[in-house]
Amino acid sequence: MESNITDCPRSRSRTRSSQRGSSSTTPSTMSPSSWRRRCAGVCLPEYQVPRTSGFVAVHPGGEEVLREQAGGDATESFEDVGHSTDAREMAKDMIIGELHPEDRDKIAKPEAPLVTTLYDEPSWWSTWVIPALAAAIATLLYRIYSQESE
Ligand code: HEM
């Protein structure tokens, strides 16, 4: 089933006013894949999806913490950090959409991200070949060293 997300790139104010409960505008929807794409790199405090472009690289808390939240719900992490009022305002200005309340439990928490392939995963090369080569070289050096000292 497709998740419903209120997509409002052209109507940020509509999203914000609907948060206050004063708007009756029917929101348009985004597919789950759009949702994941849009929050790739940037979190979603309070289930909204901030714009990703540019911000990840300049986030004062670093790029990595945001990338770790990709595709998930970073609300808790955002709150845990104790972001300032300025940071909250900044996040509001970046809002491009809102997840439909019924779909909120379908979005993973950062501990169990929905999207694990957005960013480079360690390849078999770095997982197995490099450590194996390092072990082989260490063994060889040890043997050479032991032979020389006999
Ligand atoms: C759109 C979302 C976000 C915005 C606009 C934002 C903005 C900011 C800003 C302005 C600061 C500087 C300190 C402050 O004013 O509070 C900051 C610091 C920080 N942020 Fe974020 N942030 C966002 C999301 C996140 C998320 C999801 C995490 C956690 C996983 C995070 C982790 C941090 C950390 C660790 C710091 C450094 C805190 C410190 O040095 O005291 N941020 N962020």
Side-chain angles (χ1 to χ4, degrees):
M1 195 178 84
E2 296 278 286
S3 295
N4 299 316
I5 296 166
T6 64
D7 184 16
C8 47
R10 284 168 289 118
S11 56
R12 200 174 297 152
S13 57
R14 186 184 64 194
T15 302
R16 291 166 78 172
S17 60
S18 69
Q19 283 173 268
R20 289 181 221 113
S22 58
S23 171
S24 58
T25 314
T26 308
S28 55
T29 57
M30 282 160 68
S31 68
S33 60
S34 297
W35 165 267
R36 288 167 196 153
R37 213 171 36 246
R38 281 166 186 254
C39 63
V42 173
C43 58
L44 22 152
E46 294 160 8
Y47 302 99
Q48 294 134 5
V49 187
R51 280 182 194 285
T52 56
S53 59
F55 178 67
V56 177
V58 299
H59 174 237
E63 192 172 337
E64 192 57 31
V65 286
L66 296 187
R67 295 210 179 279
E68 282 168 8
Q69 314 288 324
D73 168 17
T75 306
E76 268 178 45
S77 312
F78 184 83
E79 293 303 331
D80 286 351
V81 169
H83 281 92
S84 64
T85 313
D86 278 357
R88 285 162 201 279
E89 287 302 313
M90 205 184 284
K92 278 186 201 162
D93 285 343
M94 287 188 274
I95 288 169
I96 57 168
E98 187 179 2
L99 187 64
H100 190 281
E102 286 175 14
D103 289 332
R104 290 181 177 184
D105 60 356
K106 294 177 190 155
I107 296 298
K109 299 287 175 193
E111 302 81 56
L114 280 177
V115 180
T116 55
T117 52
L118 281 170
Y119 301 101
D120 291 345
E121 289 182 351
S123 65
W124 64 274
W125 176 257
S126 58
T127 308
W128 298 107
V129 177
I130 294 175
L133 272 176
I137 291 169
T139 310
L140 197 67
L141 288 175
Y142 176 74
R143 288 203 176 160
I144 292 170
Y145 179 75
S146 335
Q147 276 171 4
E148 276 176 4
S149 54
E150 274 171 13

